[in-house]
Amino acid sequence: MKGIILAGGSGTRLHPITRAVSKQLMPVYDKPMVYYPLSVLMLAGIRDILVISTPQDVPAFQRLLGDGGELGLSIGYAEQAEPNGLAEAFVIGAEHVGSDPAALVLGDNIFHGPGFSGLLQRSIADVAEGVAACVLFGYAVRDPQRYGVAEAGPDGRLLSIEEKPAHPRSNRAVTGLYFYDNDVVEIAAGLMPSARGELEITDVNRAYLERGTAKLVDLGRGFAWLDTGTHESLLEAGEYVRVLENRQGVRIACIEEIAMRMGFIDAAACYALGERQAKSGYGEYVMDVAKTFAG
């Protein structure tokens, strides 16, 4: 499966702090925001990744992540000149996806919870084996009227999906993580812009709903899904990460550690990546986990 991180947009809700830097390069406690969605794809076992951002911000992502080789990844870059909708990621990334299934994760979404890697890999297997052609991830919220809301049957099959409904049929918000079979490229290319002039991801999901091939995975209790689109939510996300890391002594979305534990790189390579950042607590942590992993 190929991965796409959509890290575009102008971040207007975070002005003035995003007037000079991409929202997805802002810090969430101890690491850039983009590390969190990147870690999701890595935990899913996805190693071939396209980062889509604005023409002015792509060079900054390239400086931060490079070609991904030192993490055992292959990272490419593409430009989204205007914020023309989430589904445009599959139009821009059509060559990257090729004939493979694809995963899309939004660059400002943070996921954290127990057993997440296994859940992701099982969902990819469902797509690969034809159990579902579209896998969405639902999260219970108090105010579903603010979100895209999905309703599923007992077997997880998607029954309905609505964008910001006045009378929601469920309290399951659709998160910014999507798995699709290869048909998504053709579906996205055939979309017409919505009333707000965008290619809507909800329209992609409806296409799979109409085919009866869409599935909703409930992230469940004990799981955290955080959006970082406002000043308050950005601060809350940073505080969430700070508290958990300090209490547990582990780092959330530490891409060097994940690369090592997933077998993308060995402990020596992980240690070297930490050593380059040794003056920070983050770098010290990477060196420590590499030494422990090595035995």
Side-chain angles (χ1 to χ4, degrees):
M1 179 173 278
K2 300 290 181 61
I4 298 176
I5 300 174
L6 185 58
S10 54
T12 52
R13 290 188 297 164
L14 285 171
H15 279 181
I17 59 176
T18 51
R19 290 182 63 185
V21 64
S22 167
K23 172 174 65 174
Q24 291 84 5
L25 292 172
M26 298 293 297
V28 177
Y29 185 47
D30 58 351
K31 60 191 74 71
M33 189 186 297
V34 72
Y35 274 34
Y36 296 88
L38 176 58
S39 75
V40 171
L41 297 181
M42 294 172 68
L43 287 169
I46 298 171
R47 302 174 68 173
D48 197 345
I49 297 166
L50 180 70
V51 176
I52 300 176
S53 191
T54 65
Q56 61 268 28
D57 290 320
V58 162
F61 285 99
Q62 290 174 316
R63 287 194 299 272
L64 176 65
L65 301 172
D67 63 4
E70 61 186 16
L71 294 168
L73 308 175
S74 174
I75 300 179
Y77 300 88
E79 297 177 356
Q80 185 184 40
E82 300 290 339
N84 294 323
L86 306 186
E88 191 183 34
F90 295 107
V91 178
I92 296 170
E95 184 176 345
H96 167 72
V97 173
S99 59
D100 294 315
L104 172 65
V105 60
L106 304 188
D108 61 356
N109 276 214
I110 296 174
F111 297 85
H112 180 253
F116 192 33
S117 182
L119 177 67
L120 294 171
Q121 292 178 46
R122 288 192 297 273
S123 298
I124 288 177
D126 282 348
V127 174
E129 296 166 7
V131 175
C134 162
V135 178
L136 308 178
F137 296 84
Y139 188 79
V141 294
R142 289 184 303 172
D143 47 357
Q145 298 89 347
R146 296 178 51 226
Y147 301 91
V149 175
E151 177 191 16
D155 59 354
R157 186 172 63 87
L158 192 67
L159 300 177
S160 70
I161 187 167
E162 300 175 280
E163 191 66 30
K164 298 180 180 179
H167 304 287
R169 298 182 183 180
S170 85
N171 67 339
R172 293 299 188 269
V174 178
T175 68
L177 176 63
Y178 316 86
F179 290 170
Y180 300 107
D181 69 2
N182 189 255
D183 286 354
V184 70
V185 175
E186 182 180 354
I187 291 171
L191 292 180
M192 296 296 292
S194 65
R196 60 179 184 170
E198 296 186 5
L199 301 183
E200 304 287 353
I201 199 71
T202 298
D203 290 339
V204 172
N205 297 333
R206 283 202 185 100
Y208 284 101
L209 170 64
E210 291 169 1
R211 297 179 181 186
T213 57
K215 176 182 177 181
L216 182 72
V217 174
D218 188 357
L219 293 178
R221 296 181 65 175
F223 207 96
W225 169 55
L226 306 172
D227 188 354
T228 53
T230 66
H231 299 107
E232 290 77 13
S233 60
L234 179 61
L235 185 62
E236 289 170 359
E239 184 65 6
Y240 173 86
V241 173
R242 185 191 70 81
V243 169
L244 260 66
E245 291 188 350
N246 289 343
R247 287 284 181 91
Q248 298 180 348
V250 298
R251 301 264 171 169
I252 298 172
C254 177
I255 57 177
E256 296 86 355
E257 179 183 10
I258 293 171
M260 178 183 66
R261 296 191 183 279
M262 294 295 294
F264 303 164
I265 61 175
D266 60 22
C270 182
Y271 184 89
L273 292 174
E275 197 170 27
R276 284 166 40 186
Q277 308 170 80
K279 291 186 177 180
S280 72
Y282 182 91
E284 291 175 356
Y285 173 81
V286 173
M287 290 189 291
D288 286 344
V289 295
K291 286 189 291 186
T292 301
F293 189 83

